[in-house]
Amino acid sequence: MNASASDLRFFNTLTRRKEKFTPLEPGKVRMYTCGPTVYDYAHIGNFRAFLFEDLLKRWLEYRGFTVTHVMNITDIDDKTIKGSQKQNIPLAQYTEHYTQAFFEDIKTLNVKPATHYPKATDHIPQMTSLIQTLLNKGYAYKSQDGSTYYAINKFKNYGKLSKTKPQALKTGARVKQDEYTKEEAQDFALWKAHTPEDGNVFWNTPLGKGRPGWHIECSAMSMHYLGETFDIHCGGIDNIFPHHENEIAQSEAATGKRFVRYWLHNEHLLVEGKKMAKKTGNYYTLRDLLKRGHDPIAIRYLLQSTHYRAQFNFTLEALDAAHMAVERLRNFARRLQDADGAGSEGKIAQLLRAVREAFGDAMDDDLNVSIALGALFDFVREVNTLLDAGMVAKGEAEGVSAFIGGLDGVLGVIGEVEAEKTLPLGAEALIRERGEARKAGDWARADALRLRLRAMGVVVEDTAEGVRWRLVRKA
Ligand SMILES: [Zn+2]
């Protein structure tokens, strides 16, 4: 597919409009996505954002663009310091644990790696030099305690992304913590002078002994890897203010250039209809769901199957439906391998043309994945009908396989399908044993056996018709 001929449109948060996407450099896309703050295991709300960004990148690549993708690792901020102190371990040791967990999780979810994963603590010089530029240009000032603040009234476009009205800003008031609400818009900390609460977390720099604010981290790292102006910046809608608003203020004041051309933000995730929170008991990390035996690829499918700008309600029922949708695609891919029918008299070619167009049009239209998937499943149903009737010739099936394989480069849910469907050695005995344990009411034993089977790549489910099993990737 020719990138220059693309008809991609994205909803730009900056203009609140869908805009035709044209990258700065033809055929190349430079994109920055706010990465994890490594103070805990990432939850499914985080992964909704990361999977939306993965889908976006994969679609850009499908359309022929070469994507340079930078995702930062926030390993120094208010939350990481607090967490490491609670556990009484050095900050680097604390964040390393959650950084590795993050990389394991995205691998499990089949997320394509970014080009660069810069850590904030490796880029302190870039941050202090950016702050120095802001000081030199009069956009920043030092406060009594030695911290450096951004003077929001000096930047006339402050508020343009979040549509915060400048007159509502309490100028002169200062906020030192990284997170605050729109109503509290005020001068924010670029460099935080060391305090006893920070313990032994500090850097000695020309700005004094201290540490960076969260917002300057992303400005410094994005421009370091992608240049002063780049194409796409993503994040969750809760990042619009203050994080991304402040990134714009810092970067554009320093360079005098436009910072980002397209801002894309994904909506919130709800769980069982409510805001996800530890105290309401509807909080899931990826690891929580895997422990319950759910297939990570079904989780991937579910989290990316709703349009990114729509609120998404995660339920365990929907996750079961996602399991089935993924299985339907995998079974379809398997069936195509065995097809050797009479031929469809052009019907397959016609269906292929139609689905290619419908899927492409929907995805080009601001990544409308739910419409695209609808078109894909219509196609699967119609080809299945032809397969049932023995009307799909080997060559036609190969054409369909190639098309499905191409789409799976975008969806990332089918993978290699094995033609054989036999249980690994010893699994059958374990399934039987588990059934007996259940009959005897020994749930702990039954659960332990289920986990052992899962590790072998076998998922067992108890249905009204009895025990069913299916093969998944090994855990
Ligand atoms: Zn960020």
Side-chain angles (χ1 to χ4, degrees), residues 32 34-35 72 214 218 233 243-244 247:
Y32 186 85
C34 285
N72 67 299
W214 172 39
C218 281
H233 194 316
H243 189 48
H244 292 164
E247 278 187 46

mmCIF file of all heavy atoms in Angstrom, residues 32 34-35 72 214 218 233 243-244 247, ligand 1:
data_model
loop_
_atom_site.group_PDB
_atom_site.id
_atom_site.type_symbol
_atom_site.label_atom_id
_atom_site.label_comp_id
_atom_site.label_asym_id
_atom_site.label_seq_id
_atom_site.Cartn_x
_atom_site.Cartn_y
_atom_site.Cartn_z
ATOM 1 N N TYR A 32 5.113 9.866 19.641
ATOM 2 C CA TYR A 32 5.490 9.758 21.052
ATOM 3 C C TYR A 32 4.250 9.383 21.853
ATOM 4 O O TYR A 32 3.186 9.980 21.694
ATOM 5 C CB TYR A 32 6.015 11.101 21.550
ATOM 6 C CG TYR A 32 6.563 11.054 22.968
ATOM 7 C CD1 TYR A 32 7.880 10.670 23.209
ATOM 8 C CD2 TYR A 32 5.773 11.411 24.057
ATOM 9 C CE1 TYR A 32 8.392 10.642 24.503
ATOM 10 C CE2 TYR A 32 6.276 11.377 25.351
ATOM 11 C CZ TYR A 32 7.588 10.994 25.569
ATOM 12 O OH TYR A 32 8.098 10.971 26.839
ATOM 13 N N CYS A 34 2.974 8.553 25.858
ATOM 14 C CA CYS A 34 3.359 8.590 27.265
ATOM 15 C C CYS A 34 3.341 7.173 27.827
ATOM 16 O O CYS A 34 2.349 6.467 27.735
ATOM 17 C CB CYS A 34 2.424 9.482 28.063
ATOM 18 S SG CYS A 34 2.747 11.228 27.738
ATOM 19 N N GLY A 35 4.456 6.776 28.378
ATOM 20 C CA GLY A 35 4.596 5.403 28.843
ATOM 21 C C GLY A 35 4.210 5.230 30.299
ATOM 22 O O GLY A 35 3.637 6.127 30.907
ATOM 23 N N ASN A 72 8.212 6.651 26.679
ATOM 24 C CA ASN A 72 9.093 6.878 27.827
ATOM 25 C C ASN A 72 8.743 5.962 28.992
ATOM 26 O O ASN A 72 7.636 5.433 29.075
ATOM 27 C CB ASN A 72 8.973 8.325 28.287
ATOM 28 C CG ASN A 72 7.597 8.600 28.846
ATOM 29 O OD1 ASN A 72 6.604 8.465 28.142
ATOM 30 N ND2 ASN A 72 7.519 8.927 30.117
ATOM 31 N N TRP A 214 7.447 15.992 36.524
ATOM 32 C CA TRP A 214 7.041 14.955 35.578
ATOM 33 C C TRP A 214 6.897 15.506 34.152
ATOM 34 O O TRP A 214 7.312 14.879 33.182
ATOM 35 C CB TRP A 214 5.718 14.359 36.072
ATOM 36 C CG TRP A 214 5.025 13.410 35.138
ATOM 37 C CD1 TRP A 214 5.614 12.467 34.339
ATOM 38 C CD2 TRP A 214 3.618 13.297 34.923
ATOM 39 N NE1 TRP A 214 4.650 11.771 33.652
ATOM 40 C CE2 TRP A 214 3.417 12.262 33.989
ATOM 41 C CE3 TRP A 214 2.506 13.951 35.441
ATOM 42 C CZ2 TRP A 214 2.149 11.884 33.560
ATOM 43 C CZ3 TRP A 214 1.241 13.569 35.017
ATOM 44 C CH2 TRP A 214 1.069 12.553 34.081
ATOM 45 N N CYS A 218 8.730 14.477 29.668
ATOM 46 C CA CYS A 218 8.226 14.087 28.344
ATOM 47 C C CYS A 218 8.622 15.098 27.272
ATOM 48 O O CYS A 218 8.902 14.718 26.135
ATOM 49 C CB CYS A 218 6.713 13.870 28.389
ATOM 50 S SG CYS A 218 6.295 12.259 29.095
ATOM 51 N N HIS A 233 1.289 12.596 19.031
ATOM 52 C CA HIS A 233 1.507 12.400 20.475
ATOM 53 C C HIS A 233 0.220 11.809 21.025
ATOM 54 O O HIS A 233 -0.863 12.342 20.788
ATOM 55 C CB HIS A 233 1.824 13.747 21.132
ATOM 56 C CG HIS A 233 2.390 13.643 22.526
ATOM 57 N ND1 HIS A 233 1.893 12.790 23.481
ATOM 58 C CD2 HIS A 233 3.416 14.308 23.112
ATOM 59 C CE1 HIS A 233 2.601 12.937 24.600
ATOM 60 N NE2 HIS A 233 3.535 13.849 24.412
ATOM 61 N N HIS A 243 -0.762 17.351 32.089
ATOM 62 C CA HIS A 243 0.485 16.844 31.520
ATOM 63 C C HIS A 243 0.768 17.362 30.105
ATOM 64 O O HIS A 243 1.810 17.945 29.836
ATOM 65 C CB HIS A 243 0.460 15.316 31.575
ATOM 66 C CG HIS A 243 1.756 14.677 31.232
ATOM 67 N ND1 HIS A 243 2.954 15.074 31.761
ATOM 68 C CD2 HIS A 243 2.057 13.655 30.379
ATOM 69 C CE1 HIS A 243 3.935 14.322 31.276
ATOM 70 N NE2 HIS A 243 3.414 13.462 30.427
ATOM 71 N N HIS A 244 -0.167 17.135 29.186
ATOM 72 C CA HIS A 244 0.120 17.520 27.800
ATOM 73 C C HIS A 244 0.037 19.029 27.583
ATOM 74 O O HIS A 244 0.761 19.584 26.757
ATOM 75 C CB HIS A 244 -0.810 16.760 26.852
ATOM 76 C CG HIS A 244 -0.523 15.287 26.825
ATOM 77 N ND1 HIS A 244 -1.395 14.352 26.321
ATOM 78 C CD2 HIS A 244 0.565 14.587 27.266
ATOM 79 C CE1 HIS A 244 -0.859 13.136 26.442
ATOM 80 N NE2 HIS A 244 0.319 13.259 27.016
ATOM 81 N N GLU A 247 3.356 20.103 28.574
ATOM 82 C CA GLU A 247 4.374 19.723 27.573
ATOM 83 C C GLU A 247 4.403 20.747 26.436
ATOM 84 O O GLU A 247 5.471 21.151 25.976
ATOM 85 C CB GLU A 247 4.062 18.339 26.995
ATOM 86 C CG GLU A 247 4.523 17.171 27.844
ATOM 87 C CD GLU A 247 4.327 15.850 27.112
ATOM 88 O OE1 GLU A 247 4.681 15.751 25.921
ATOM 89 O OE2 GLU A 247 3.795 14.908 27.727
HETATM 90 ZN ZN ZN B 1 4.183 12.028 29.199
#
